[in-house]
Amino acid sequence: MQRLDGRESLSRLIGKKRKRTLSSPLSLLLQSKSKPNPKEEEEKEAEVEAPSTSNDGKIKGNDDPVWVSCPVCGSSIRGTDHMVNSHLDICLTRGAKKKLTQRTLLQLKFCPISASKTSAGVLDNTRAAIREGELVGGKEISDSEMTIERILSENNEKIEHASGAQDVSKLTKCIDVQMEIKTVENTANENIVPQSTMVPKVDTFGVEDSKVLAAFETFIVGRKFHDNIQLQQGCQLFLSRDPQNAKDKHAIKVLSTDLGAGNMLGYLPRELAKFLSPLMDNHHLKCEGSVISISEHPLDPVPIQLVCEKMVASGKGEHDGQQNFEFLWENVKRVTEYGKLNPPSMTKYQQNFCLMIEEVVNNHTHLFTSEEKLLLGSFDSLSNNAQRLFVRIYTRKGPWFRMSNISYPEISDLQTTSEELRLAGYICSFNCSEDVVKYNIKEVLEVLNVFEMREISNSILSKKGVNLTRRQELIDALFSAYEDETCQLLPKMILERAGTCIKISSAADILFWRVQRLFFLNGEQDFSAFLLSDLGLIKFPQYNCAIVHPIFQYRSDLLEYEESVEVAQIMDESLDENNLEKVMRCINVSHEHIQTSFREAAQSSKCGSPPAFFSRFSASWVYSKVLSLGVSVFERERRYEDAIRLLKDLLSQITRDSRRGYWTLRLSIDLEHINRVNESLAIAEEGVLDPCVRAGSKLALQRRVLRLAKPPRRWKTPSYANSVKRTIKEMAPLDFLTDDFYITRRNLIELHLQKIQKGKAGEILIASWDSHVGTACHGVNWDRHSLSDLRAVVSCIGGSCLASLCRHLALDYRSWCSGMPDLLLWRFHGGDGDAGRAKLVEVKGPRDRLSEQQRAWMLILMDCGFDVEVCKVGSP
């Protein structure tokens, strides 16, 4: 089936497809003549809904009024005795504890009175100090911004170029405040000893000492292991700068001393390297150390202790340099202290996911209900294992995943982890003991492999003479048997083989689809954008994002946009299924919306309104793309009257849009299809004058006017006629692919061939490269090989062989432009003035044979003096 115009653009807009829900305008769209499926409705009821909060602070659900917060991890759970007791057993067994926020500290619920009073007092004092106007780089710091990463990033330029300590006091004071806040929160939460005994002891360098040792603890991140390396406690290591690192110019590598200097174990944390790298570069700091302990997971950060030695003492006249050194070293101490309180336990994809949630909640908080905010906020209280498992399955296709097939090295105790996610409302699960009527059996069938489905098929379908082997055929046959209810044991057989399975709950799936769309603001990007950036394959520019107008001013705007994307998704899926009835419903829904939305937008527009490009994030924009694709559908079906109706409505409603050129062109063409040539010409003439019609669309309309505007329809020639009719010179000579090419230029070609034969091919190559590099030329790809490689090839082939080959191509390029051997090999023997050797090789598989064209090439090359071979590749 041909690819419809606008289909690819619509697919990119849709992006990650989500599980559809029946909102009011779409309920009519999704209705069909087939009988409803009550199983899907019961499945939705079986999933865990996002809890809401009552006025008294208790959590309640839509149907069940009793919801409570776990005092250990903070998760929202149903208030039945069984659920509370089982959840508490899991939390206490795993040792999970909720990270208390300022609000929960002041409520004084989960810590001793003495500790809570002290903690609350210190916390109030430190936060009050911030509110009194402590500045970092002239900017007031709010509670939510008081993180070490934000402070360091905002003062990056000062860190790199500081020459003294005059501007350091405010920065260090804010870092001290942050450290004190974090310590107090941990003290209240864990009921442990004060800060002085919590943080690692970091010795300081003396001002006058030439060689003074200092020790501190940190972690190895970004670990890399070779298969033959077993990292052990006490392993000796040293640091080495990596200034050429594409991701971070401050990068510091950690290498093993015991296992060989070439074995890199990973890197120091980015925040620490930012301060330690200038000390190593400019102040001759030498750092060595050892591994303190081994992490539970191979990819987790490794705790290490480093001992730093200042190799060169600062002279008495180097006061500014000493100030800079002390500034950097003080921040090294603070970063290591903060790292002790906040170990880098998160994996990179986990950090990226949390970053996405944080940015969306900060910038679009007005778009979420209290229930949605509660669910998003509870993600931070999940254990690392739970967060990692959720992100892993969220980014996979699904919807169901067999627990027996889930295995990630960074996630331990999958059973406990999945139960934590289920109780928090992020996933739902089933096992073989549950009633299959709650679930979509076709989705469950997707988790079975071909062997398992064939077993079931043989036991229930073999009597009918059905013998299927392909996966999709097996799924369709088993699902059909399930719907016909021909085998009562079929659901049980499917569930027994599937075992325990999990999937993202509907509430979480819809919510995080919304979060992802708000973060990327398009459907084309996903979490692979993070990966490409983390790997250094794509480097994004640094910029400050100042939000003047929100993308979605009200929640209703966002919901309308999501609904339009849902219609677009249904349209896309219906085209795949060739369901024209549902395609027409999508077109009708979009058409009804487009007739009123742009008129209302025009009436409500006023000074200070958002920029015009914000319309791309409106429901009307999406519906217009659905209609553009609908035009292509009507044209494919030769329903030109319907296509004309849609195009006229689009052009009348959307008066300023670059797509007007495409719509006008299609309207003119479709009118000509139904023999309304005069109207087609008039539309084309109007389109040429439309300021929104540009580039190729305008040129196409101009060409249509010149073709249709012949007497007696039009007697006057348009002013652009001569411009449109200009001939474009063509990338080779017109006779290049004919025999006349050589005949016409025989003397000139032979003169060049003689020079090549006498060994001057290298000179010709260099002169041609310098004069014409980058110029389009038939048969030449300037980017494929470098000049040095081409010079080496010319030298190794030799003048005689090269001249014979060039003469052959000049005589009949059309016949010999294909079929050459796959490989050109060359080498130099090593002697001075050695011309080297070249060989042409045709590669063939075990059952491949030379084509007649390839055989002719091999014979011609042998006649020219080339060393030619056929390389047979055998099967392993």
Side-chain angles (χ1 to χ4, degrees), residues 344-396:
S345 58
M346 284 189 176
T347 57
K348 200 64 179 178
Y349 67 84
Q350 182 185 1
Q351 289 178 343
N352 294 335
F353 197 84
C354 292
L355 171 65
M356 180 185 72
I357 296 175
E358 178 185 2
E359 290 296 320
V360 170
V361 170
N362 290 340
N363 296 326
H364 305 282
T365 184
H366 64 289
L367 301 176
F368 297 97
T369 63
S370 57
E371 292 82 4
E372 291 171 337
K373 292 177 184 177
L374 182 62
L375 187 60
L376 288 174
S378 66
F379 188 82
D380 185 56
S381 64
L382 296 174
S383 66
N384 281 329
N385 280 333
Q387 290 185 1
R388 293 169 184 171
L389 179 59
F390 180 81
V391 178
R392 283 288 196 178
I393 62 176
Y394 178 78
T395 53
R396 289 174 58 179

Short mmCIF file of all heavy atoms in Angstrom, two decimals, residues 344-396:
data_model
loop_
_atom_site.label_atom_id
_atom_site.label_comp_id
_atom_site.label_asym_id
_atom_site.label_seq_id
_atom_site.Cartn_x
_atom_site.Cartn_y
_atom_site.Cartn_z
N PRO A 344 25.95 8.70 45.47
CA PRO A 344 25.43 8.58 44.09
C PRO A 344 24.94 7.18 43.79
O PRO A 344 25.53 6.44 43.01
CB PRO A 344 26.66 8.93 43.25
CG PRO A 344 27.82 8.53 44.08
CD PRO A 344 27.42 8.76 45.50
N SER A 345 23.82 6.83 44.43
CA SER A 345 23.31 5.47 44.29
C SER A 345 22.41 5.30 43.07
O SER A 345 22.08 4.19 42.70
CB SER A 345 22.53 5.08 45.55
OG SER A 345 21.47 6.00 45.77
N MET A 346 21.99 6.41 42.45
CA MET A 346 21.08 6.31 41.32
C MET A 346 21.82 5.93 40.05
O MET A 346 22.94 6.39 39.81
CB MET A 346 20.37 7.65 41.10
CG MET A 346 19.26 7.94 42.08
SD MET A 346 18.34 9.41 41.55
CE MET A 346 17.05 9.43 42.78
N THR A 347 21.19 5.10 39.25
CA THR A 347 21.70 4.84 37.92
C THR A 347 21.39 6.04 37.03
O THR A 347 20.56 6.87 37.36
CB THR A 347 21.08 3.58 37.33
OG1 THR A 347 19.65 3.74 37.32
CG2 THR A 347 21.44 2.36 38.15
N LYS A 348 22.06 6.11 35.87
CA LYS A 348 21.90 7.28 35.01
C LYS A 348 20.48 7.41 34.50
O LYS A 348 19.90 8.49 34.52
CB LYS A 348 22.89 7.18 33.84
CG LYS A 348 23.16 8.51 33.17
CD LYS A 348 23.83 9.49 34.11
CE LYS A 348 24.12 10.82 33.45
NZ LYS A 348 24.72 11.78 34.36
N TYR A 349 19.89 6.30 34.04
CA TYR A 349 18.52 6.41 33.52
C TYR A 349 17.54 6.74 34.63
O TYR A 349 16.52 7.40 34.39
CB TYR A 349 18.12 5.12 32.80
CG TYR A 349 17.99 3.90 33.67
CD1 TYR A 349 16.83 3.63 34.38
CD2 TYR A 349 19.03 2.97 33.78
CE1 TYR A 349 16.69 2.51 35.16
CE2 TYR A 349 18.90 1.84 34.56
CZ TYR A 349 17.73 1.61 35.25
OH TYR A 349 17.61 0.49 36.03
N GLN A 350 17.84 6.31 35.84
CA GLN A 350 17.01 6.66 36.99
C GLN A 350 17.10 8.15 37.28
O GLN A 350 16.08 8.82 37.55
CB GLN A 350 17.44 5.83 38.19
CG GLN A 350 16.65 6.04 39.46
CD GLN A 350 17.25 5.26 40.63
OE1 GLN A 350 18.28 4.58 40.47
NE2 GLN A 350 16.65 5.36 41.78
N GLN A 351 18.30 8.70 37.24
CA GLN A 351 18.48 10.14 37.44
C GLN A 351 17.75 10.93 36.37
O GLN A 351 17.10 11.95 36.66
CB GLN A 351 19.97 10.48 37.41
CG GLN A 351 20.76 10.00 38.62
CD GLN A 351 22.23 10.33 38.50
OE1 GLN A 351 22.72 10.62 37.41
NE2 GLN A 351 22.95 10.26 39.60
N ASN A 352 17.84 10.48 35.12
CA ASN A 352 17.18 11.19 34.03
C ASN A 352 15.67 11.22 34.23
O ASN A 352 15.01 12.23 33.97
CB ASN A 352 17.53 10.54 32.70
CG ASN A 352 19.00 10.69 32.36
OD1 ASN A 352 19.67 11.61 32.82
ND2 ASN A 352 19.50 9.79 31.54
N PHE A 353 15.11 10.09 34.66
CA PHE A 353 13.67 10.02 34.87
C PHE A 353 13.24 10.95 36.00
O PHE A 353 12.23 11.65 35.88
CB PHE A 353 13.27 8.58 35.18
CG PHE A 353 11.81 8.29 35.01
CD1 PHE A 353 11.30 7.98 33.77
CD2 PHE A 353 10.95 8.32 36.09
CE1 PHE A 353 9.94 7.72 33.59
CE2 PHE A 353 9.60 8.06 35.94
CZ PHE A 353 9.09 7.76 34.68
N CYS A 354 14.01 10.96 37.09
CA CYS A 354 13.70 11.86 38.20
C CYS A 354 13.84 13.32 37.79
O CYS A 354 13.07 14.18 38.23
CB CYS A 354 14.61 11.55 39.39
SG CYS A 354 14.31 9.94 40.17
N LEU A 355 14.85 13.60 36.95
CA LEU A 355 15.01 14.96 36.44
C LEU A 355 13.80 15.38 35.63
O LEU A 355 13.31 16.52 35.75
CB LEU A 355 16.27 15.04 35.58
CG LEU A 355 16.47 16.35 34.80
CD1 LEU A 355 16.69 17.51 35.75
CD2 LEU A 355 17.65 16.22 33.84
N MET A 356 13.29 14.49 34.81
CA MET A 356 12.11 14.80 34.01
C MET A 356 10.93 15.14 34.90
O MET A 356 10.22 16.14 34.66
CB MET A 356 11.78 13.61 33.10
CG MET A 356 10.56 13.82 32.23
SD MET A 356 10.09 12.36 31.29
CE MET A 356 9.42 11.34 32.63
N ILE A 357 10.70 14.35 35.93
CA ILE A 357 9.58 14.61 36.84
C ILE A 357 9.76 15.95 37.53
O ILE A 357 8.83 16.76 37.63
CB ILE A 357 9.46 13.47 37.87
CG1 ILE A 357 9.12 12.15 37.19
CG2 ILE A 357 8.42 13.82 38.93
CD1 ILE A 357 9.10 10.97 38.13
N GLU A 358 10.98 16.21 38.01
CA GLU A 358 11.24 17.45 38.73
C GLU A 358 10.99 18.68 37.86
O GLU A 358 10.35 19.64 38.28
CB GLU A 358 12.69 17.45 39.23
CG GLU A 358 13.08 18.73 39.97
CD GLU A 358 14.55 18.76 40.34
OE1 GLU A 358 15.27 17.80 40.00
OE2 GLU A 358 14.98 19.76 40.94
N GLU A 359 11.51 18.65 36.62
CA GLU A 359 11.36 19.80 35.74
C GLU A 359 9.89 20.03 35.38
O GLU A 359 9.43 21.17 35.34
CB GLU A 359 12.18 19.58 34.46
CG GLU A 359 13.68 19.64 34.67
CD GLU A 359 14.14 21.02 35.13
OE1 GLU A 359 13.61 22.02 34.62
OE2 GLU A 359 15.02 21.08 36.00
N VAL A 360 9.16 18.98 35.13
CA VAL A 360 7.76 19.13 34.74
C VAL A 360 6.93 19.64 35.91
O VAL A 360 6.08 20.53 35.75
CB VAL A 360 7.21 17.79 34.21
CG1 VAL A 360 5.70 17.86 34.05
CG2 VAL A 360 7.87 17.44 32.88
N VAL A 361 7.16 19.11 37.10
CA VAL A 361 6.40 19.55 38.26
C VAL A 361 6.71 21.01 38.57
O VAL A 361 5.81 21.80 38.91
CB VAL A 361 6.71 18.66 39.47
CG1 VAL A 361 6.12 19.25 40.74
CG2 VAL A 361 6.16 17.25 39.25
N ASN A 362 7.97 21.42 38.42
CA ASN A 362 8.34 22.81 38.71
C ASN A 362 7.75 23.79 37.71
O ASN A 362 7.33 24.89 38.07
CB ASN A 362 9.86 22.96 38.73
CG ASN A 362 10.50 22.29 39.93
OD1 ASN A 362 9.83 22.02 40.93
ND2 ASN A 362 11.78 22.01 39.86
N ASN A 363 7.71 23.40 36.44
CA ASN A 363 7.30 24.34 35.39
C ASN A 363 5.84 24.23 34.98
O ASN A 363 5.31 25.16 34.36
CB ASN A 363 8.17 24.13 34.14
CG ASN A 363 9.62 24.46 34.39
OD1 ASN A 363 9.94 25.37 35.16
ND2 ASN A 363 10.52 23.73 33.76
N HIS A 364 5.19 23.10 35.30
CA HIS A 364 3.81 22.89 34.84
C HIS A 364 2.92 22.40 35.97
O HIS A 364 1.99 21.63 35.73
CB HIS A 364 3.78 21.88 33.69
CG HIS A 364 4.68 22.23 32.55
ND1 HIS A 364 4.36 23.18 31.60
CD2 HIS A 364 5.91 21.76 32.20
CE1 HIS A 364 5.34 23.27 30.71
NE2 HIS A 364 6.28 22.43 31.05
N THR A 365 3.18 22.84 37.17
CA THR A 365 2.43 22.31 38.31
C THR A 365 0.95 22.63 38.23
O THR A 365 0.11 21.90 38.76
CB THR A 365 3.01 22.88 39.62
OG1 THR A 365 2.34 22.30 40.74
CG2 THR A 365 2.86 24.40 39.68
N HIS A 366 0.57 23.72 37.52
CA HIS A 366 -0.84 24.11 37.44
C HIS A 366 -1.66 23.18 36.55
O HIS A 366 -2.88 23.27 36.52
CB HIS A 366 -0.95 25.54 36.90
CG HIS A 366 -0.44 25.69 35.50
ND1 HIS A 366 0.91 25.63 35.18
CD2 HIS A 366 -1.09 25.90 34.32
CE1 HIS A 366 1.06 25.79 33.89
NE2 HIS A 366 -0.12 25.97 33.33
N LEU A 367 -0.98 22.27 35.86
CA LEU A 367 -1.68 21.38 34.94
C LEU A 367 -2.06 20.04 35.58
O LEU A 367 -2.68 19.22 34.92
CB LEU A 367 -0.81 21.11 33.71
CG LEU A 367 -0.41 22.35 32.89
CD1 LEU A 367 0.52 21.94 31.76
CD2 LEU A 367 -1.65 23.05 32.35
N PHE A 368 -1.69 19.83 36.84
CA PHE A 368 -1.93 18.55 37.49
C PHE A 368 -2.92 18.71 38.64
O PHE A 368 -2.94 19.73 39.33
CB PHE A 368 -0.62 17.96 38.03
CG PHE A 368 0.38 17.63 36.97
CD1 PHE A 368 1.40 18.53 36.65
CD2 PHE A 368 0.31 16.45 36.25
CE1 PHE A 368 2.31 18.24 35.66
CE2 PHE A 368 1.22 16.15 35.26
CZ PHE A 368 2.24 17.05 34.96
N THR A 369 -3.72 17.67 38.82
CA THR A 369 -4.64 17.65 39.95
C THR A 369 -3.88 17.26 41.21
O THR A 369 -2.71 16.82 41.16
CB THR A 369 -5.76 16.63 39.71
OG1 THR A 369 -5.19 15.31 39.62
CG2 THR A 369 -6.50 16.93 38.41
N SER A 370 -4.52 17.40 42.35
CA SER A 370 -3.87 17.04 43.61
C SER A 370 -3.55 15.55 43.65
O SER A 370 -2.52 15.15 44.20
CB SER A 370 -4.76 17.43 44.79
OG SER A 370 -6.04 16.81 44.67
N GLU A 371 -4.43 14.72 43.06
CA GLU A 371 -4.17 13.28 43.04
C GLU A 371 -2.94 12.96 42.19
O GLU A 371 -2.11 12.13 42.55
CB GLU A 371 -5.39 12.53 42.51
CG GLU A 371 -6.60 12.55 43.41
CD GLU A 371 -7.41 13.82 43.27
OE1 GLU A 371 -7.04 14.65 42.39
OE2 GLU A 371 -8.38 14.00 44.02
N GLU A 372 -2.82 13.64 41.04
CA GLU A 372 -1.66 13.41 40.18
C GLU A 372 -0.38 13.89 40.84
O GLU A 372 0.67 13.24 40.73
CB GLU A 372 -1.87 14.13 38.84
CG GLU A 372 -2.97 13.50 38.00
CD GLU A 372 -3.31 14.34 36.78
OE1 GLU A 372 -3.03 15.57 36.81
OE2 GLU A 372 -3.84 13.78 35.81
N LYS A 373 -0.44 15.03 41.53
CA LYS A 373 0.75 15.51 42.24
C LYS A 373 1.16 14.54 43.33
O LYS A 373 2.35 14.35 43.60
CB LYS A 373 0.46 16.89 42.83
CG LYS A 373 0.28 17.99 41.80
CD LYS A 373 -0.08 19.31 42.48
CE LYS A 373 -0.36 20.39 41.45
NZ LYS A 373 -0.77 21.68 42.10
N LEU A 374 0.17 13.94 43.98
CA LEU A 374 0.47 12.99 45.03
C LEU A 374 1.19 11.76 44.47
O LEU A 374 2.18 11.29 45.04
CB LEU A 374 -0.83 12.57 45.72
CG LEU A 374 -0.69 11.59 46.90
CD1 LEU A 374 0.11 12.22 48.03
CD2 LEU A 374 -2.06 11.16 47.39
N LEU A 375 0.72 11.27 43.32
CA LEU A 375 1.36 10.11 42.71
C LEU A 375 2.76 10.45 42.23
O LEU A 375 3.70 9.68 42.41
CB LEU A 375 0.51 9.60 41.56
CG LEU A 375 0.96 8.28 40.93
CD1 LEU A 375 0.96 7.15 41.96
CD2 LEU A 375 0.06 7.90 39.75
N LEU A 376 2.94 11.64 41.61
CA LEU A 376 4.27 12.04 41.18
C LEU A 376 5.21 12.25 42.36
O LEU A 376 6.38 11.88 42.30
CB LEU A 376 4.18 13.34 40.36
CG LEU A 376 3.58 13.25 38.96
CD1 LEU A 376 3.42 14.63 38.35
CD2 LEU A 376 4.45 12.37 38.07
N GLY A 377 4.67 12.85 43.42
CA GLY A 377 5.51 13.08 44.59
C GLY A 377 5.93 11.80 45.28
O GLY A 377 7.01 11.74 45.88
N SER A 378 5.09 10.77 45.20
CA SER A 378 5.43 9.51 45.87
C SER A 378 6.55 8.76 45.17
O SER A 378 7.13 7.85 45.75
CB SER A 378 4.18 8.61 45.95
OG SER A 378 3.78 8.21 44.65
N PHE A 379 6.87 9.13 43.92
CA PHE A 379 7.93 8.43 43.21
C PHE A 379 9.26 8.61 43.92
O PHE A 379 10.08 7.69 43.97
CB PHE A 379 8.03 8.95 41.76
CG PHE A 379 8.97 8.15 40.90
CD1 PHE A 379 8.55 6.98 40.31
CD2 PHE A 379 10.27 8.57 40.69
CE1 PHE A 379 9.41 6.23 39.52
CE2 PHE A 379 11.14 7.84 39.91
CZ PHE A 379 10.71 6.65 39.32
N ASP A 380 9.50 9.78 44.50
CA ASP A 380 10.77 10.03 45.18
C ASP A 380 10.91 9.18 46.43
O ASP A 380 12.02 8.91 46.88
CB ASP A 380 10.87 11.52 45.53
CG ASP A 380 12.22 11.88 46.13
OD1 ASP A 380 13.25 11.62 45.46
OD2 ASP A 380 12.26 12.41 47.26
N SER A 381 9.76 8.76 47.03
CA SER A 381 9.83 7.97 48.26
C SER A 381 10.01 6.48 47.98
O SER A 381 10.22 5.70 48.90
CB SER A 381 8.56 8.18 49.09
OG SER A 381 7.43 7.70 48.38
N LEU A 382 9.93 6.07 46.70
CA LEU A 382 10.17 4.67 46.37
C LEU A 382 11.64 4.32 46.57
O LEU A 382 12.52 5.17 46.48
CB LEU A 382 9.77 4.40 44.92
CG LEU A 382 8.29 4.57 44.54
CD1 LEU A 382 8.13 4.39 43.04
CD2 LEU A 382 7.42 3.59 45.29
N SER A 383 11.90 3.06 46.80
CA SER A 383 13.28 2.61 46.90
C SER A 383 13.96 2.70 45.55
O SER A 383 13.32 2.82 44.50
CB SER A 383 13.32 1.17 47.41
OG SER A 383 12.74 0.29 46.44
N ASN A 384 15.30 2.65 45.54
CA ASN A 384 16.04 2.70 44.29
C ASN A 384 15.65 1.55 43.38
O ASN A 384 15.50 1.71 42.16
CB ASN A 384 17.55 2.66 44.57
CG ASN A 384 18.08 4.01 45.01
OD1 ASN A 384 17.56 5.04 44.61
ND2 ASN A 384 19.10 4.01 45.84
N ASN A 385 15.49 0.37 43.97
CA ASN A 385 15.10 -0.79 43.16
C ASN A 385 13.74 -0.57 42.50
O ASN A 385 13.55 -0.91 41.33
CB ASN A 385 15.05 -2.05 44.03
CG ASN A 385 16.43 -2.63 44.26
OD1 ASN A 385 17.33 -2.46 43.45
ND2 ASN A 385 16.60 -3.32 45.38
N ALA A 386 12.79 -0.01 43.25
CA ALA A 386 11.45 0.22 42.70
C ALA A 386 11.49 1.26 41.59
O ALA A 386 10.83 1.10 40.55
CB ALA A 386 10.50 0.65 43.82
N GLN A 387 12.23 2.33 41.80
CA GLN A 387 12.34 3.35 40.76
C GLN A 387 12.96 2.77 39.49
O GLN A 387 12.50 3.02 38.38
CB GLN A 387 13.17 4.53 41.26
CG GLN A 387 12.48 5.37 42.32
CD GLN A 387 13.30 6.59 42.70
OE1 GLN A 387 14.38 6.83 42.16
NE2 GLN A 387 12.80 7.38 43.64
N ARG A 388 14.01 1.99 39.66
CA ARG A 388 14.68 1.42 38.49
C ARG A 388 13.78 0.45 37.73
O ARG A 388 13.73 0.48 36.50
CB ARG A 388 15.96 0.71 38.94
CG ARG A 388 17.03 1.64 39.50
CD ARG A 388 18.14 0.86 40.18
NE ARG A 388 19.10 1.76 40.80
CZ ARG A 388 20.08 1.36 41.60
NH1 ARG A 388 20.22 0.07 41.87
NH2 ARG A 388 20.92 2.24 42.12
N LEU A 389 13.07 -0.39 38.47
CA LEU A 389 12.19 -1.35 37.81
C LEU A 389 11.08 -0.64 37.05
O LEU A 389 10.73 -1.01 35.92
CB LEU A 389 11.60 -2.32 38.83
CG LEU A 389 10.63 -3.37 38.28
CD1 LEU A 389 11.32 -4.24 37.22
CD2 LEU A 389 10.07 -4.24 39.40
N PHE A 390 10.52 0.41 37.65
CA PHE A 390 9.44 1.13 36.97
C PHE A 390 9.94 1.76 35.68
O PHE A 390 9.29 1.69 34.64
CB PHE A 390 8.85 2.20 37.88
CG PHE A 390 7.74 2.98 37.24
CD1 PHE A 390 6.46 2.46 37.18
CD2 PHE A 390 7.98 4.22 36.66
CE1 PHE A 390 5.43 3.17 36.56
CE2 PHE A 390 6.97 4.93 36.04
CZ PHE A 390 5.69 4.40 35.99
N VAL A 391 11.10 2.42 35.74
CA VAL A 391 11.63 3.07 34.54
C VAL A 391 11.94 2.03 33.47
O VAL A 391 11.68 2.25 32.28
CB VAL A 391 12.89 3.89 34.88
CG1 VAL A 391 13.47 4.52 33.61
CG2 VAL A 391 12.56 4.98 35.89
N ARG A 392 12.46 0.90 33.88
CA ARG A 392 12.80 -0.16 32.91
C ARG A 392 11.56 -0.64 32.16
O ARG A 392 11.57 -0.73 30.93
CB ARG A 392 13.44 -1.34 33.64
CG ARG A 392 14.89 -1.12 34.04
CD ARG A 392 15.79 -1.14 32.83
NE ARG A 392 17.20 -1.29 33.20
CZ ARG A 392 18.19 -1.38 32.32
NH1 ARG A 392 17.92 -1.32 31.04
NH2 ARG A 392 19.43 -1.51 32.72
N ILE A 393 10.49 -0.94 32.88
CA ILE A 393 9.32 -1.48 32.20
C ILE A 393 8.52 -0.36 31.50
O ILE A 393 7.82 -0.62 30.53
CB ILE A 393 8.41 -2.28 33.16
CG1 ILE A 393 7.88 -1.40 34.28
CG2 ILE A 393 9.16 -3.46 33.73
CD1 ILE A 393 6.91 -2.11 35.20
N TYR A 394 8.65 0.87 31.99
CA TYR A 394 7.95 1.98 31.34
C TYR A 394 8.52 2.24 29.95
O TYR A 394 7.77 2.60 29.02
CB TYR A 394 8.06 3.25 32.18
CG TYR A 394 7.40 4.45 31.55
CD1 TYR A 394 6.02 4.62 31.58
CD2 TYR A 394 8.16 5.42 30.88
CE1 TYR A 394 5.42 5.71 30.97
CE2 TYR A 394 7.56 6.51 30.28
CZ TYR A 394 6.19 6.66 30.33
OH TYR A 394 5.60 7.73 29.73
N THR A 395 9.81 2.06 29.78
CA THR A 395 10.44 2.34 28.49
C THR A 395 10.40 1.13 27.55
O THR A 395 10.88 1.23 26.43
CB THR A 395 11.90 2.76 28.70
OG1 THR A 395 12.58 1.78 29.51
CG2 THR A 395 11.98 4.10 29.40
N ARG A 396 9.84 0.00 28.01
CA ARG A 396 9.70 -1.16 27.13
C ARG A 396 8.31 -1.19 26.52
O ARG A 396 7.41 -0.45 26.91
CB ARG A 396 9.99 -2.45 27.91
CG ARG A 396 11.46 -2.60 28.26
CD ARG A 396 11.70 -3.81 29.15
NE ARG A 396 11.25 -5.06 28.52
CZ ARG A 396 11.38 -6.25 29.10
NH1 ARG A 396 11.95 -6.35 30.29
NH2 ARG A 396 10.95 -7.34 28.49
#
